[in-house]
Amino acid sequence: MATSPPPSSRRGTSGVPGSLPAMAPSVAERLLERLGQAAAPGGLCSLEAAAQLGVDHQTLVGAVKSLQALGEVIEAEARTATRWELSAEGEEVLRDGSPEVRLFRSLPEEGLPQAEAMKLPGGSLGFSKAMANKWVRLDKGAAGGPRVLRAVPSVQDAVQEQLGQVRAGGALPERERSELKRRKLLLEVTLKSFWIRKGSAFSTAVARAESELTPDMIATGSWRRLPFKPYNFCALGLPPACGHLHPLLKVRSELRQIFLEMGFTEMPTDNFVESSFWNFDALFQPQQHPARDQHDTFFLLDPGEAPQLPPGYSSKVKKVHSQGGYGSQGYRYEWKVEEAKKNLLRTHTTSASARALFQLARQEKFSPVKYFSIDRVFRNESLDATHLAEFHQVEGLVADRGLTLGHLMGILRQFFTKLGISQLRFKPAYNPYTEPSMEVFSYHEGLKKWVEVGNSGVFRPELLLPMGLPENVSVIAWGLSLERPTMIKYGINNIRELVGHRVNLQMVYDSPMCRLDV
């Protein structure tokens, strides 16, 4: 009778089952008996043992694992081997012959029209192979259309013979085996087995070890005489089920951390619905600008208009648009308050920047600030692999006295270096509310070309001075999207696989930790 080692010398095992399967004890005992009688000094193969005991191999594997749970009764070493087996199509060919031979034998001496020959046994599958072997020929000039005729008096079915050789346990040359595999007649099967040896506590009798210490055992003292299953108290349990961060949220967190490390303060961005005044007019964007068309912007029907605009500030915005001022001649058109009151889904988070700068201008004494925001914006875009109607915009701005284009380029290099993007180029661009303006490009090693990664500029005086900011205060700003850097970092080619109803939740689970090292 096998016994457990004392508690101080037990070896911990992980994955110990609570009890043996219903039929496992009898199989286990027969396996132990067979192992004790084994002629091989090193042990016994589980495949051979299953065949000798007349049981399914998986049933014997279950008995092996149950015996392993008892301690050192047996030792089992996992082994892997491959062998070739006939597929279902291979079994059919072994029984009835290959398709090309079946077609040849079904053809009469006078042949058949090609359409009828394709309906013969093996016709559709064996015709091309029979033609390649030059067993049949196609008479395209025959009356009534192309006719399939025998080209040789007899054929030998080598494919059927090769499959019979595999069934008998013989080996085939690599070329023949590859051809049969290509025709899906052979399958390479991986066999997993165990090499079983006697353990230090080997016995031909199986004692069921107790898995629980019950009150009755303690009361009667029987626990002292009973064998208990060994437990590994240092084993880790199953990880608890928990949520997983979406790749977009991971990159957003990294960007937010970069801004905070650079001393920026996050702006409030809770105005998804915005008035045209803050989204366009306050940014010195004219009311006839193409971006204000319904083909580019989502306008709201209810509520269709904002209740009111800042009275003193809106009049200054009207004047600089229609008449000019602050050294500018404006746009020289009739500015309409009705157009400015139209509600829309904001097209950029720069509207939040305008609100933040307006609040800064209302302070009694100006103090330099650094603001950032990361939030959703909405545009009436045509959906494709790189564009959505709803996406995220990342924006940063610095307001201080004496800022120049050189300061903007310096802070952009610092920001993108923290993102892992060190090769930068700047290209002059046009924005209605920045002058000068620059597009930011970076060299993409994967694409082997320069790609745009952001836009930037210095806010115009026509935007800042109506707010009431001092004349010597400059504001430098830049922005980029959140989705495109995420797609690059995680190797996602279609933005609709990152955001929206087509997102594969398994992708969220499997995505690695974000590394900003592109």
Side-chain angles (χ1 to χ4, degrees):
M1 182 73 69
T3 59
S4 298
S8 61
S9 62
R10 290 179 188 166
R11 291 187 180 179
T13 57
S14 60
V16 176
S19 61
L20 297 178
M23 65 178 296
S26 60
V27 175
E29 288 178 346
R30 293 166 60 194
L31 174 62
L32 290 174
E33 184 179 355
R34 182 70 188 86
L35 186 60
Q37 302 171 353
L44 189 65
C45 175
S46 61
L47 291 170
E48 297 176 359
Q52 294 170 1
L53 297 177
V55 298
D56 182 72
H57 182 253
Q58 289 302 317
T59 302
L60 188 113
V61 169
V64 169
K65 293 183 178 180
S66 299
L67 290 172
Q68 284 181 300
L70 298 179
E72 305 295 331
V73 178
I74 64 169
E75 295 178 1
E77 176 189 351
R79 293 186 174 182
T80 302
T82 59
R83 72 179 183 188
W84 294 92
E85 292 184 355
L86 274 62
S87 65
E89 293 86 350
E91 295 285 355
E92 181 181 353
V93 170
L94 182 62
R95 182 182 66 251
D96 303 327
S98 62
E100 55 268 28
V101 171
R102 293 167 62 192
L103 170 64
F104 178 87
R105 293 172 178 171
S106 300
L107 279 175
E109 291 293 335
E110 66 278 10
L112 284 175
Q114 186 177 9
E116 294 184 19
M118 294 299 102
K119 299 178 183 179
L120 293 175
S124 58
L125 295 177
F127 176 73
S128 60
K129 197 68 177 177
M131 287 286 292
N133 292 340
K134 298 182 179 181
W135 292 350
V136 299
R137 61 184 178 88
L138 187 63
D139 185 3
K140 296 183 179 180
R147 195 174 188 85
V148 182
L149 301 166
R150 290 186 178 182
V152 294
S154 63
V155 297
Q156 184 178 359
D157 198 341
V159 173
Q160 189 180 40
E161 294 175 359
Q162 292 166 2
L163 293 176
Q165 187 176 348
V166 173
R167 169 60 62 81
L172 292 177
E174 176 65 24
R175 183 176 179 180
E176 295 179 1
R177 189 169 63 239
S178 298
E179 175 64 18
L180 294 177
K181 182 181 178 181
R182 187 189 64 81
R183 295 182 65 173
K184 299 181 180 180
L185 302 178
L186 277 187
L187 298 175
E188 189 175 11
V189 180
T190 301
L191 297 176
K192 295 183 178 180
S193 61
F194 288 93
W195 185 257
I196 310 166
R197 294 186 293 267
K198 298 177 183 179
S200 58
F202 177 78
S203 173
T204 56
V206 179
R208 183 184 294 273
E210 299 291 340
S211 60
E212 295 182 4
L213 182 64
T214 65
D216 289 340
M217 294 178 186
I218 297 175
T220 60
S222 61
W223 63 272
R224 295 185 177 88
R225 302 184 301 273
L226 296 174
F228 285 88
K229 288 184 177 180
Y231 290 96
N232 182 4
F233 293 101
C234 298
L236 298 176
L238 293 175
C242 59
H244 299 271
L245 286 179
H246 190 282
L248 208 61
L249 294 180
K250 293 181 183 179
V251 177
R252 184 187 186 279
S253 298
E254 294 288 342
L255 287 170
R256 186 174 184 272
Q257 186 61 35
I258 288 173
F259 275 116
L260 294 176
E261 289 175 358
M262 294 175 66
F264 282 71
T265 302
E266 191 164 9
M267 293 183 286
T269 54
D270 50 355
N271 289 60
F272 282 10
V273 175
E274 190 61 273
S275 67
S276 294
F277 176 81
W278 288 108
N279 197 83
F280 295 122
D281 296 88
L283 299 175
F284 197 57
Q285 194 159 329
Q287 292 185 342
Q288 65 269 30
H289 194 278
R292 300 174 79 144
D293 190 83
Q294 291 185 356
H295 293 293
D296 295 290
T297 303
F298 292 109
F299 288 91
L300 270 65
L301 293 176
D302 186 20
E305 291 187 353
Q308 63 180 4
L309 303 178
Y313 176 44
S314 60
S315 61
K316 292 180 181 179
V317 171
K318 175 181 178 180
K319 182 178 179 180
V320 76
H321 274 250
S322 58
Q323 301 176 21
Y326 312 105
S328 170
Q329 65 177 6
Y331 292 112
R332 302 293 179 176
Y333 71 95
E334 183 182 354
W335 188 87
K336 297 180 180 179
V337 67
E338 296 81 10
E339 188 71 27
K341 282 188 173 182
K342 287 183 179 180
N343 282 334
L344 48 81
L345 294 178
R346 68 180 178 203
T347 61
H348 47 196
T349 53
T350 315
S351 59
S353 300
R355 285 182 176 271
L357 291 173
F358 178 66
Q359 294 300 322
L360 178 65
R362 298 180 67 183
Q363 296 179 4
E364 293 184 6
K365 184 178 180 181
F366 171 79
S367 58
V369 296
K370 294 193 287 188
Y371 290 145
F372 81 94
S373 64
I374 307 174
D375 214 334
R376 299 184 197 178
V377 297
F378 310 86
R379 295 182 188 175
N380 195 357
E381 298 269 14
S382 298
L383 305 185
D384 57 31
T386 57
H387 293 86
L388 289 178
E390 176 183 352
F391 57 96
H392 291 77
Q393 182 174 332
V394 181
E395 183 158 340
L397 67 88
V398 180
D400 201 351
R401 291 181 172 89
L403 292 178
T404 65
L405 193 64
H407 292 97
L408 175 60
M409 296 173 71
I411 200 168
L412 284 173
R413 289 193 181 278
Q414 182 183 9
F415 175 78
F416 281 102
T417 298
K418 286 180 174 291
L419 277 175
I421 300 173
S422 57
Q423 299 186 66
L424 292 181
R425 284 181 179 176
F426 303 102
K427 175 185 176 183
Y430 169 76
N431 292 316
Y433 44 87
T434 58
E435 180 63 36
S437 306
M438 299 186 304
E439 292 175 344
V440 187
F441 288 78
S442 171
Y443 188 76
H444 193 290
E445 293 290 346
L447 299 176
K448 301 299 181 184
K449 67 177 182 178
W450 292 87
V451 296
E452 183 181 353
V453 293
N455 206 336
S456 64
V458 181
F459 280 166
R460 298 178 67 110
E462 296 94 326
L463 186 159
L464 302 176
L465 297 180
M467 294 179 176
L469 288 169
E471 292 187 6
N472 59 349
V473 169
S474 301
V475 177
I476 57 177
W478 69 98
L480 63 152
S481 75
L482 180 63
E483 282 76 6
R484 289 188 183 180
T486 305
M487 293 171 64
I488 294 173
K489 295 176 189 304
Y490 286 91
I492 298 172
N493 297 323
N494 194 324
I495 193 172
R496 289 167 287 190
E497 296 177 3
L498 180 68
V499 184
H501 66 281
R502 290 173 58 177
V503 170
N504 182 1
L505 295 181
Q506 188 63 36
M507 176 272 294
V508 179
Y509 178 85
D510 294 335
S511 64
M513 294 295 291
C514 175
R515 294 189 305 157
L516 300 176
D517 57 356
V518 294

